[in-house]
Structure formats: C-alpha cells, structure tokens
C-alpha cells in the first residue's frame, strides 16, 4: 500500500507540474497566437522528455532549460530563454 501511495504522489506531482508550467508558458506568449499554438502543439512531448520521475533516493525533477530548448527547436522560433542567476554565498 505504501508503494502505491508513493507512486500516486509522484504521478500527481508530475501532472501538477505539467499543468502549471504549461499555463506559465502560454501566459508568457499569450499576445502571440503562433507562440500559443506552438506551445500547445509541442509542449506535451517536450515535457515528457524533460521531466524525470526520480527514484528511490532522488526526487522528481523538471529540467526547464531542456523543456524550453525543445519547444523552441520543434517550433523553429526562439520564443523562450532560461537565465540562471549567479548565487554567491
């Protein structure tokens, strides 16, 4: 029963992340109908290739850089970019 609960939680987290990130990308390009169309067309495949479920000792992780590169590459237009902040201790 514990394994089922853990798997259920992992899939719930994946579905939640899927919907949240997609909504944010659509919101970023809502003024550009082609951008919205391309996100709708390519997002699912790109999300699946950039989301890692994790394992026993690792948590789930979405590689946002891989996701936006995938959407940009598949659409042929560089709609999005990811900028990393330099964090200094």
């Amino acid at each position: 029963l514990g394994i089922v609960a853990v798997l259920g939680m992992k899939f719930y987290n994946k579905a939640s992340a899927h919907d949240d990130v997609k909504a944010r990308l659509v919101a970023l390009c809502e003024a550009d109908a082609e951008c919205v169309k391309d996100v709708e067309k390519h997002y699912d495949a790109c999300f699946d290739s950039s989301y890692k479920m994790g394992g026993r000792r690792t948590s789930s992780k979405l590689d946002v850089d891989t996701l936006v590169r995938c959407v940009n590459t598949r659409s042929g237009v560089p709609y999005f970019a990811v900028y990393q902040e330099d964090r200094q201790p």
Side-chain angles (χ1 to χ4, degrees):
L1 185 61
I3 293 172
V4 173
V6 169
L7 285 175
M9 191 63 156
K10 284 189 176 277
F11 282 106
Y12 172 79
N13 289 341
K14 180 179 180 181
S16 179
H18 175 277
D19 296 344
D20 290 345
V21 175
K22 184 175 182 179
R24 289 180 186 171
L25 290 180
V26 168
L28 284 171
C29 66
E30 69 183 340
D32 183 345
E34 285 298 312
C35 178
V36 173
K37 184 176 110 183
D38 284 337
V39 169
E40 294 289 339
K41 182 177 181 182
H42 302 295
Y43 182 78
D44 290 335
C46 290
F47 182 85
D48 287 340
S49 69
S50 61
Y51 190 89
K52 305 300 177 217
M53 288 292 282
R56 275 178 113 180
R57 297 186 168 122
T58 58
S59 61
S60 302
K61 180 182 178 213
L62 174 62
D63 186 342
V64 177
D65 188 45
T66 300
L67 174 68
V68 297
R69 272 192 278 133
C70 179
V71 172
N72 289 344
T73 300
R74 287 176 178 239
S75 66
V77 181
Y79 292 118
F80 308 104
V82 175
Y83 296 100
Q84 300 292 331
E85 289 184 17
D86 289 335
R87 293 188 178 183
Q88 307 262 332

